[in-house]
Amino acid sequence: MDQAADDWAPHSAHWGAFSARWNGETLDVTPYEGDPAPSPILQNFTTAMRHKARILRPMVRKAWLDRSARTERTFDQEFVECSWDRVLDLLASELSRVKAEHGAAAVFGGSYGWSSAGRFHHAQSQVHRFLNMAFGGYVRSVNSYSAGASAVILPHVMGGYEAVSRHNVTWDQIAEHSDVVLAFGGMALKNSHVASGGISRHIERDAMATAARRGAAFYCISPLRDDMPADANARWLPIKVGTDVALMLALAHTLLTEDLCDKAFIERYCTGFENFERYLRGRDDGTPKDAAWAADITGISSGTIIDLARRLPRGRTLIAVSHSLQRAQYGEQPVWMGAVLAAMLGQIGLPGGGYNYALGALGHTGRRINAVPIPTLSQGKNGVSEFIPVARVSDMLLNPGEPFEYNGRSMHYPDIKLVYWAGGNPFHHHQDINRMRQAFNAPQTIVVHESAWTPMAKFADIVLPATMTLERDDIGAAGTDPRLVAMRRAVDPIGEARDDFDIFAGLARKLGVEQAFTEGRDSRQWLAHLYEPTRKALVEAGWDAPDFDEFWRRGELALPSAPDDGGFLRAFRNDPAANRLSTPSGKIEIYSKAIASFGYDDCPPHPAWLPSTEPPSARHPLTLIANQPATRLHSQLDFGAYSQSSKVAGREVVRLHPDDAKRRGVANGDIVRLFNDRGACLAAAAVTDDVMPGVIQLSTGAWYDPERGATEQPLCVHGNPNVLTRDIGTSRLAQGCCGQVTVVECEKYEGALPSIRAFDPPGQR
Ligand SMILES: Nc1nc2c(c(=O)[nH]1)N[C@H]1C(S)=C(S)[C@@H](COP(=O)(O)OP(=O)(O)OC[C@H]3O[C@@H](n4cnc5c(=O)[nH]c(N)nc54)[C@H](O)[C@@H]3O)O[C@H]1N2
Ligand SMILES: Nc1nc2c(c(=O)[nH]1)N[C@H]1C(S)=C(S)[C@@H](COP(=O)(O)OP(=O)(O)OC[C@H]3O[C@@H](n4cnc5c(=O)[nH]c(N)nc54)[C@H](O)[C@@H]3O)O[C@H]1N2
Ligand SMILES: [Mo]
């Protein structure tokens, strides 16, 4: 793109590459021309830049500033405006005080969150780098809300995570080779709209359509019909939430007893099948895990299960397990059992077959990996060794010093005095918000960088206004997207907002360590610096490798992809002696001696059916699915045009089956109250048979909007499901989050409708 066309700036978001032009009031947005199926989520930008929810200048909570009697943090606390110079002085001296009195291990800097797509102005990388380089480290968090259980179980079972999720079966292979795809949790296109770092080609829809035209059969195993796109022409097998392991076991049982399983594969590539077989046949507990047994649990008839099992070995079959299944109690089990089922079919490592975890859950999976590295900001070395599994944040803040178990280790929660967050929204992402509110009242100081008044910003003591991605230059890149994007600034920064990098550079200056943090580079010099390793690798690969200025002028750069070679699992299949998996046995572990040695009854040494300890009950008969939203990424730009267009009376929409609606006197468009013992929220009902009976679905991401007044469990008037979800670990093995599923009751809301204040700035002086 030359300078003349520069009013259209190339840019990139986690939900797609695009061009943007500021028209003085709103943003014109055009998707990247090479994208076959761009995401409508891009349209959230149009009205977002100058929205009232944006933060204009540094703000400090008045009660924190007064340091009077310690007051509880609330969502309608008063803030005081502050100059940048003063706020950085205040923050520098507070950081120094905490470090002097308590050490760097009193700072929690995990700062989980998706931030924005640019690889330099990536807030989470910036805050980690700052705390490492300028402060001596911080208590970090490990793993993710996405893959909390799978990131721990898959290394035990298959020796790694990436080889099973990313560098494995591709959409091209599915289009060409797969005959049957069992999609546990589906592969909704709204999910693959998104890939961290950006995505320039949304290929999933066309690949599924091609495969379906060729005769491939997709099965949508899910409580929601629309978890597969229409183009896949999928058969819907509605399954009771959280019972997939029972279905997988019954499929495995049928394969075993009808002599349909690939014994040679199990013999050569797996270990521990005998222990599992005893369990499957019910040798010790007297319960064979057969189709009749599973029918009761799953709600799928035994005939359907047996027919499906018989079909699996007849062609190229892919078992796909989504992230969602493991974002629940005992979430390790479906991930492990999916691998075991695929092992029994013997197709792991074959094109379009075997096992692929999280295929279609994001736009990174099912793609070829880039053959060159992408720009990455170094985060330095953390001087603090303490960490928590990411979703144990409330436990940590509420229970300093208390013991907990994680992946075979006995650990203790650190004592946190200061929390530093940039690029995430815990009041979006964490479970049991009423409990979390108490937890976030424990630290002495909370610092947040944000571009908008999210509930997390409103709950902080020091709030620093960060630019939005379109207000700065950056480089967009993902390891699975064959394109580098020059993300050019399209709009001037709002108010006094600064880039996270500049905020940290200023803070490092106050602390006398500016050079360590900036290494003497400004933003522009950093971009050129981060580009250099990619350019060098392009030169070595004999590819077009322009210098930084030329890349910037062009606006984009093609990157070469590695071959579609099936990754490590193919290599393992071809030569298991030369390509041992990184498991203790070098093979797929159907029984794990390592896990056996931990002695966890909530994660036994082979996959097993463990029902949730919070099943539906007379008081809370409905199972709530709190899945990813179709109209935005998490809570980002919930105030944007596209997200807002989906709301009804300003509320998030909750979907339920006609039978469940009728029983409760609920009609389409009614405002309903969802509640359980942990909390309550309002939402607008949509009655549809795309949701199976007994299930109710409210996506995440509506900004938490508590009704004012001092109650323990204020009603969220906007529709954030995390007031209802359970804040427990998946098991002692992984301690992942359990946000996907909870039990609730639903009733028509008859009271006066409280107004939505989620996007209003807090009280100011
Ligand atoms: N109940 C339930 N809960 C869930 C899930 C679920 O399935 N059910 N899913 C979970 C999953 S998988 C995830 S990954 C998490 C996601 O949780 P988060 O990643 O915390 O969610 P986001 O809304 O993406 O938060 C990113 C924040 O960064 C801010 N931001 C963007 N750009 C910048 C920037 O340049 N600088 C700064 N300082 N800030 C910026 C945005 O304004 C936004 O507030 O949610 C989890 N929560
Ligand atoms: N548009 C959009 N896309 C996103 C995101 C977003 O915020 N917005 N977030 C991204 C992120 S960070 C992540 S980690 C991925 C998450 O990827 P996933 O976790 O796979 O996505 P979800 O939409 O939460 O869940 C997918 C579906 O699983 C089904 N499901 C839930 N419980 C069960 C169960 O027990 N059994 C079965 N069989 N099905 C079940 C639900 O019907 C749900 O719609 O999505 C990514 N994609
Ligand atoms: Mo995620």
Side-chain angles (χ1 to χ4, degrees):
M1 207 180 272
D2 60 23
Q3 291 313 115
D6 216 21
D7 52 345
W8 279 100
H11 214 80
S12 184
H14 296 304
W15 44 94
F18 63 103
S19 297
R21 185 177 60 182
W22 181 241
N23 64 29
E25 268 173 45
T26 57
L27 199 73
D28 302 325
V29 170
T30 309
Y32 180 66
E33 59 187 9
D35 190 337
S39 170
I41 299 176
L42 284 172
Q43 299 308 317
N44 277 331
F45 280 125
T46 55
T47 53
M49 307 305 302
R50 296 293 182 258
H51 194 275
K52 69 176 175 187
R54 296 292 310 276
I55 305 174
L56 300 176
R57 49 191 65 85
M59 303 287 265
V60 181
R61 188 164 76 95
K62 186 170 177 302
W64 184 89
L65 207 54
D66 295 347
R67 310 261 178 160
S68 47
R70 226 175 93 62
T71 53
E72 290 261 300
R73 295 182 181 91
T74 66
F75 287 94
D76 42 16
Q77 54 202 5
E78 208 178 318
F79 281 88
V80 178
E81 280 183 27
C82 217
S83 71
W84 271 110
D85 192 48
R86 168 122 195 276
V87 85
L88 292 178
D89 273 337
L90 274 173
L91 180 50
S93 67
E94 176 62 358
L95 284 168
S96 303
R97 179 194 72 81
V98 171
K99 188 170 176 184
E101 289 177 15
H102 309 284
V107 170
F108 183 63
S111 191
Y112 183 83
W114 265 62
S115 318
S116 46
R119 295 298 86 187
F120 175 60
H121 295 291
H122 181 249
Q124 201 191 116
S125 307
Q126 291 285 351
V127 66
H128 293 165
R129 183 181 159 82
F130 168 79
L131 290 171
N132 287 339
M133 305 283 209
F135 190 70
Y138 61 95
V139 173
R140 70 190 196 282
S141 57
V142 299
N143 308 331
S144 62
Y145 281 78
S146 319
S150 53
V152 179
I153 190 74
L154 281 173
H156 283 290
V157 174
M158 299 191 74
Y161 177 79
E162 293 281 311
V164 190
S165 59
R166 291 214 184 167
H167 194 181
N168 188 359
V169 174
T170 58
W171 290 109
D172 287 345
Q173 293 173 26
I174 290 174
E176 194 179 341
H177 298 285
S178 307
D179 296 311
V180 175
V181 177
L182 288 195
F184 288 90
M187 296 167 164
L189 293 182
K190 58 131 176 117
N191 285 31
S192 47
H193 278 168
V194 167
S196 57
I199 174 169
S200 62
R201 288 165 61 243
H202 292 88
I203 57 176
E204 290 75 6
R205 181 197 62 192
D206 292 348
M208 286 191 243
T210 305
R213 272 198 303 274
R214 191 176 43 72
F218 289 88
Y219 288 86
C220 176
I221 303 173
S222 170
L224 308 182
R225 191 200 309 269
D226 47 15
D227 275 337
M228 287 299 282
D231 304 77
N233 197 17
R235 283 140 234 221
W236 183 30
L237 286 184
I239 185 167
K240 284 189 196 158
V241 177
T243 67
D244 302 80
V245 171
L247 173 59
M248 293 172 184
L249 285 166
L251 293 171
H253 188 273
T254 308
L255 294 177
L256 184 68
T257 53
E258 299 196 1
D259 207 15
L260 296 172
C261 81
D262 188 336
K263 296 206 183 79
F265 184 93
I266 292 171
E267 183 65 29
R268 184 155 186 227
Y269 298 100
C270 305
T271 173
F273 186 72
E274 321 71 54
N275 309 59
F276 173 71
E277 186 181 344
R278 285 191 69 78
Y279 171 76
L280 195 59
R281 290 187 187 273
R283 292 269 192 264
D284 301 317
D285 61 5
T287 306
K289 312 302 176 294
D290 59 16
W293 167 82
D296 282 346
I297 298 171
T298 60
I300 300 175
S301 76
S302 61
T304 303
I305 297 175
I306 290 168
D307 287 347
L308 183 59
R310 289 175 182 158
R311 179 160 194 185
L312 301 181
R314 278 193 219 130
R316 186 59 51 81
T317 293
L318 177 64
I319 309 293
V321 169
S322 72
H323 280 315
S324 57
L325 268 65
Q326 51 90 65
R327 210 173 294 115
Q329 195 177 18
Y330 313 128
E332 295 83 358
Q333 304 306 313
V335 179
W336 195 351
M337 188 54 216
V340 171
L341 179 60
M344 291 173 72
L345 290 166
Q347 300 188 20
I348 290 174
L350 291 180
Y355 183 51
N356 202 129
Y357 172 73
L359 186 66
L362 288 144
H364 303 116
T365 52
R367 282 147 202 274
R368 289 159 68 185
I369 308 285
N370 292 337
V372 293
I374 56 165
T376 317
L377 180 66
S378 143
Q379 300 184 2
K381 257 188 106 82
N382 191 339
V384 172
S385 59
E386 277 104 318
F387 69 88
I388 56 162
V390 66
R392 301 278 49 83
V393 59
S394 291
D395 286 357
M396 169 184 75
L397 295 173
L398 290 168
N399 307 301
E402 290 295 310
F404 68 99
E405 291 285 317
Y406 169 68
N407 200 14
R409 297 171 62 166
S410 296
M411 300 168 58
H412 290 85
Y413 289 117
D415 190 356
I416 297 300
K417 305 296 183 196
L418 185 146
V419 169
Y420 207 128
W421 224 289
N425 183 6
F427 282 93
H428 155 71
H429 68 233
H430 195 60
Q431 287 59 62
D432 199 349
I433 286 179
N434 289 316
R435 179 170 190 257
M436 190 179 68
R437 212 182 46 233
Q438 289 170 14
F440 273 102
N441 251 311
Q444 296 167 348
T445 301
I446 299 179
V447 187
V448 168
H449 297 194
E450 252 298 351
S451 50
W453 280 112
T454 62
M456 183 59 185
K458 286 179 187 162
F459 212 67
D461 302 311
I462 298 179
V463 180
L464 303 180
T467 49
M468 262 174 68
T469 178
L470 284 146
E471 296 167 336
R472 60 196 184 220
D473 291 337
D474 211 332
I475 302 177
T480 47
D481 194 68
R483 196 156 280 99
L484 217 56
V485 180
M487 299 167 59
R488 294 203 207 124
R489 178 203 273 216
V491 192
D492 290 336
I494 197 168
E496 295 174 21
R498 290 186 181 175
D499 299 348
D500 293 288
F501 169 75
D502 291 330
I503 299 174
F504 285 125
L507 192 54
R509 190 177 316 134
K510 298 278 187 195
L511 292 165
V513 287
E514 185 182 9
Q515 177 66 25
F517 176 70
T518 65
E519 297 179 26
R521 293 185 196 96
D522 64 17
S523 290
R524 185 64 172 213
Q525 291 164 328
W526 268 107
L527 294 185
H529 176 71
L530 296 184
Y531 173 76
E532 200 46 25
T534 304
R535 193 193 63 79
K536 280 210 183 101
L538 286 170
V539 171
E540 276 162 33
W543 268 61
D544 179 24
D547 66 18
F548 179 76
D549 289 339
E550 171 62 11
F551 155 63
W552 196 256
R553 202 188 59 74
R554 288 191 207 166
E556 63 168 284
L557 183 65
L559 302 179
S561 306
D564 187 6
D565 62 1
F568 198 77
L569 292 178
R570 178 86 49 84
F572 169 65
R573 181 182 188 96
N574 291 341
D575 189 346
N579 302 300
R580 289 165 54 86
L581 299 182
S582 304
T583 55
S585 61
K587 297 182 172 186
I588 297 169
E589 304 225 337
I590 296 177
Y591 179 94
S592 163
K593 288 181 185 157
I595 294 178
S597 75
F598 302 158
Y600 296 152
D601 56 3
D602 52 2
C603 188
H606 59 70
W609 161 241
L610 301 174
S612 163
T613 55
E614 195 186 71
S617 63
R619 288 178 58 233
H620 304 125
L622 297 171
T623 300
L624 176 77
I625 295 282
N627 61 351
Q628 315 306 310
T631 57
R632 58 190 171 253
L633 172 67
H634 310 133
S635 70
Q636 294 199 33
L637 307 181
D638 186 28
F639 51 84
Y642 184 55
S643 179
Q644 286 300 312
S645 73
S646 70
K647 310 233 176 189
V648 172
R651 326 283 138 162
E652 198 64 18
V653 169
V654 63
R655 300 195 302 167
L656 75 170
H657 189 271
D659 295 350
D660 293 316
K662 197 166 160 212
R663 207 165 294 138
R664 291 167 178 79
V666 168
N668 237 343
D670 281 352
I671 301 299
V672 292
R673 179 174 162 270
L674 305 183
F675 61 96
N676 61 20
D677 290 338
R678 288 178 285 272
C681 69
L682 300 184
V687 180
T688 166
D689 63 7
D690 286 347
V691 177
M692 71 186 273
V695 168
I696 183 162
Q697 177 243 325
L698 175 64
S699 292
T700 59
W703 286 15
Y704 178 56
D705 195 355
E707 209 175 20
R708 302 306 196 264
T711 63
E712 284 284 291
Q713 294 188 353
L715 179 70
C716 170
V717 304
H718 188 197
N720 184 327
N722 274 326
V723 296
L724 302 160
T725 51
R726 236 188 338 168
D727 185 12
I728 57 165
T730 50
S731 79
R732 282 171 288 174
L733 187 88
Q735 296 283 10
C737 96
C738 296
Q740 179 80 193
V741 182
T742 192
V743 294
V744 297
E745 180 53 293
C746 165
E747 65 183 14
K748 192 168 166 175
Y749 181 72
E750 307 281 6
L753 210 51
S755 56
I756 304 281
R757 299 201 286 174
F759 308 116
D760 293 347
Q764 293 174 27
R765 267 206 337 187

